[in-house]
Amino acid sequence: MIFDLEQLDTWSRHKLLTATIVPRPIAWVSTLDADGVANIAPFGFFNAFGVDPPVIALGVHDSQSGRSDTGNNIRATGQFVVNLTPERLLREVEVTAVPFPPEVDEFVEAGLTKAPSLRVAPPRILESPVSYECELIESIQIGAARWLIVGKAVLVHIDDRAVIDPAACYIDTRALGLVARAHAGSYVRIGETVPTPAVEKQPA
């Protein structure tokens, strides 16, 4: 079956992309607005795109009522924190997905704890096992209501219980308990892995 994406409506394209590009990690982004009010929102269009520099990018969608609070805050301050999502906090993730007014602090609504960041102003989510402090590289408008937020990760907090060897930067990924987006509003656990097949490499 062939689907011409240029001939489909937005929702149909969304269904195809999210049903086939899986799993997708969830960026639980914390920001501050110009007045210092904290905001949290989850994003399923997110990933890492390099290590030199360490680049993290978000797909941010504006709502019918106006531009995304997250996008506005990042453009205004140049800073954000990407917290990763463990299964035990899925209810809190769903609370922060509610479109609250800009003046509402989602940390309070979801019962989450603000932890100070070290290199950026926005707080990180204390309960998250991984938090990347990020600085904005560029905000690119890629559609009428869609922005690509590109940031540089400058510092990462990782739960001590998942750190096997700090000197070698070895992390027990399973111990983080992370989940990712699957399809039709569902999630997948980060658990079972498949070993890389051995392939004999030919000399150049």
Side-chain angles (χ1 to χ4, degrees):
M1 180 70 70
I2 297 172
F3 297 90
D4 188 338
L5 298 177
E6 294 187 339
Q7 300 301 318
L8 296 175
D9 59 69
T10 300
W11 180 237
S12 295
R13 291 196 299 268
H14 181 276
K15 288 189 290 184
L16 290 173
L17 287 168
T18 58
T20 57
I21 301 177
V22 293
R24 291 173 291 118
I26 306 161
W28 207 8
V29 182
S30 49
T31 58
L32 290 176
D33 68 13
D35 296 322
V37 177
N39 177 272
I40 312 173
F43 293 87
F45 289 109
F46 146 73
N47 220 311
F49 290 90
V51 296
D52 189 19
V55 172
I56 285 177
L58 313 169
V60 177
H61 180 68
D62 295 335
S63 68
Q64 293 181 345
S65 59
R67 285 188 176 179
S68 156
D69 292 338
T70 298
N72 280 343
N73 293 349
I74 293 173
R75 285 186 288 267
T77 67
Q79 299 181 335
F80 59 103
V81 179
V82 171
N83 308 276
L84 299 185
T85 307
E87 183 177 358
R88 59 186 169 79
L89 294 178
L90 279 178
R91 180 188 175 280
E92 287 79 359
V93 170
E94 292 299 317
V95 171
T96 61
V98 173
F100 292 107
E103 64 274 11
V104 173
D105 186 329
E106 279 88 354
F107 276 92
V108 175
E109 295 297 323
L112 295 166
T113 307
K114 293 176 185 174
S117 297
L118 299 179
R119 300 277 292 278
V120 300
R124 59 190 175 89
I125 299 171
L126 180 64
E127 291 82 1
S128 172
V130 182
S131 298
Y132 282 93
E133 299 185 22
C134 301
E135 297 174 346
L136 177 65
I137 295 175
E138 192 168 358
S139 174
I140 307 165
Q141 187 165 11
I142 56 176
R146 176 70 63 175
W147 298 77
L148 182 65
I149 302 290
V150 183
K152 180 175 72 172
V154 296
L155 189 148
V156 59
H157 304 258
I158 301 176
D159 190 325
D160 290 349
R161 293 169 291 185
V163 179
I164 298 171
D165 183 341
C169 295
Y170 287 157
I171 305 299
D172 181 357
T173 302
R174 290 188 180 184
L176 297 171
L178 300 175
V179 291
R181 290 292 284 180
H183 57 87
S186 59
Y187 296 89
V188 293
R189 295 184 179 95
I190 306 301
E192 184 178 358
T193 58
V194 178
T196 303
V199 176
E200 183 177 349
K201 295 182 180 180
Q202 299 297 322

